[in-house]
Amino acid sequence: MSDVIILGAGIVGVSTGIHLLRRGRSVTLIDKREPGRETSFGNAGIIQREGVRPHAFPRDLAMLMQVGLHLSTAARYEPLALPRLAPALLRYWWASSPESYKRVVASYAPLIGRSIIAHQDLIEQAGPDAAALIQKGGWFLAFRSDEGLRKEAAKAQADKERFGISHRVVEWPELKTIEPDLKGGLAGAIHWTDPWTVTNPGELVSQYFKLFEKLGGTFVQGEAKDLTQDASGWSVTANGARLSGKQAVVALGPWAPDLLDKLGYRLPLFVKRGYHMHYGTEGNAKLNNLLLDAEVGYVIAPMARGIRLTTGAEFALRDAAPTPIQLGKAEAAAKELFPLGDRRDPEPWKGARPCTPDMMPIIGKAPKHDGLYAGIGHAHHGFTLGPATGELLAQAMTGEKTAIDIKPFGMERFL
């Protein structure tokens, strides 16, 4: 028996394991795939220190019409999924009202504030191979219209004054000198200078996993089934074996309901699916920095495998077949700005971002059971917040004072 079994070997599960091992706990990490191969693998690779404002549900009529008529690149929905998604999406819309959203941001900002701190801690411990994946030049939020750029610049200035987040407003002539191979069509960009970017997000999780093993953690590959509690703690079947721990952590991302529902935690979780594809470039073109085309809704980023294009949000059922529509629209829009070359992957990568209606993750103890904890529901910021969540969970599980107040992230808010 271990002190702790952790279900899910994405960035949240691996990070939680590291922090528990540092505190003298024995840990068994369980996942059906190799660590970091699911949601943690397919993202834009930003450690988003500036991301104090989680993605709200659109409330302006123009945007809702674009999404409703399938005209938007940033978001689309599968009509057949709407009946099952509607209750959670209605709560999401309500939490995105101006007054509710203010409260969300106030609670969310301290958590985002731990992002760089927590990643830096693990990177230093993981060693030079992890550090080599990190770029500290920030990223660019680009706008095609001057109106959009000025509006975002005002918001960025407010966030600087309130949260201390650094940025620069970069007009098109300067942006062209930074990225000479951009074709044009942009008014400029907000250069967020505090965040870090990662050239291979999946590999960074692999480097964290190596640290987990170095500290003495055990990994079992197999699908976790039948999580149950008994007098000695928690046990689960995986790879034909029964694995036990005095405590258990559910860090399964979009698969968490498969176990938590059976324990009486019917949480209003839903997924936003996303896609990525890698590309070469035409000629000798080079992209130096990550760029988000804000008014269209996709990211292009220089990665180890080439230029990674990541899409916006697709509202669909978790296990539904992939749809290429959103990636196709984003690819066409990206080629207007940058000379993308041929696709390098045989098919698009598809992942599911686990979301809550109030845009905040669930971090902490499950209220109906002793020894059961969860770190789920990080939506667009799972890669950013994985190490911070792991730190907070380990602190809570070992009786330490948490680095920030985790009450706003308690599971009980949905029960």
Side-chain angles (χ1 to χ4, degrees), residues 62 89 235 246 268 306 355 398:
L89 293 181
S235 60
K246 297 173 186 176
C355 303
T398 57

Side-chain angles (χ1 to χ4, degrees), residues 134-344:
I134 307 301
Q135 304 292 324
K136 299 183 179 180
W139 64 279
F140 290 82
L141 181 64
F143 289 85
R144 298 186 178 214
S145 73
D146 188 70
E147 179 184 2
L149 177 62
R150 303 307 157 199
K151 184 177 180 180
E152 189 64 27
K155 289 171 59 179
Q157 183 61 32
D159 286 347
K160 179 179 181 179
E161 294 170 359
R162 182 178 177 186
F163 303 111
I165 300 167
S166 300
H167 74 283
R168 296 189 311 121
V169 178
V170 179
E171 308 292 345
W172 166 245
E174 182 184 359
L175 184 58
K176 179 65 174 175
T177 65
I178 296 169
E179 297 289 354
D181 291 311
L182 287 177
K183 297 179 180 180
L186 293 172
I190 304 299
H191 180 195
W192 294 110
T193 56
D194 290 341
W196 295 353
T197 58
V198 183
T199 57
N200 190 333
E203 179 58 25
L204 184 62
V205 181
S206 295
Q207 292 298 321
Y208 289 169
F209 175 66
K210 290 179 181 179
L211 174 60
F212 170 83
E213 290 190 309
K214 181 179 178 181
L215 293 172
T218 299
F219 175 64
V220 174
Q221 188 167 349
E223 186 174 1
K225 300 178 180 179
D226 305 321
L227 180 63
T228 58
Q229 185 182 32
D230 56 31
S232 59
W234 292 88
S235 60
V236 68
T237 299
N239 196 26
R242 198 68 181 166
L243 306 169
S244 301
K246 297 173 186 176
Q247 296 174 308
V249 178
V250 176
L252 286 166
W255 295 275
D258 295 353
L259 292 182
L260 290 176
D261 281 3
K262 298 174 184 177
L263 295 170
Y265 300 100
R266 298 192 64 83
L267 304 170
L269 295 172
F270 63 99
V271 300
K272 295 180 185 177
R273 304 199 313 181
Y275 301 82
H276 84 226
M277 172 61 69
H278 292 100
Y279 299 81
T281 62
E282 295 179 355
N284 296 317
K286 182 180 179 182
L287 184 68
N288 297 311
N289 298 276
L290 183 149
L291 185 145
L292 193 162
D293 189 349
E295 290 159 313
V296 178
Y298 65 88
V299 169
I300 50 175
M303 294 269 182
R305 280 185 50 79
I307 305 300
R308 178 180 290 187
L309 185 153
T310 61
T311 68
E314 180 185 59
F315 294 91
L317 299 182
R318 183 189 69 190
D319 300 324
T323 56
I325 299 169
Q326 209 170 11
L327 181 67
K329 289 182 177 181
E331 180 181 304
K335 287 183 175 181
E336 295 173 356
L337 300 183
F338 183 82
L340 288 179
D342 294 335
R343 293 184 173 190
R344 289 186 171 178

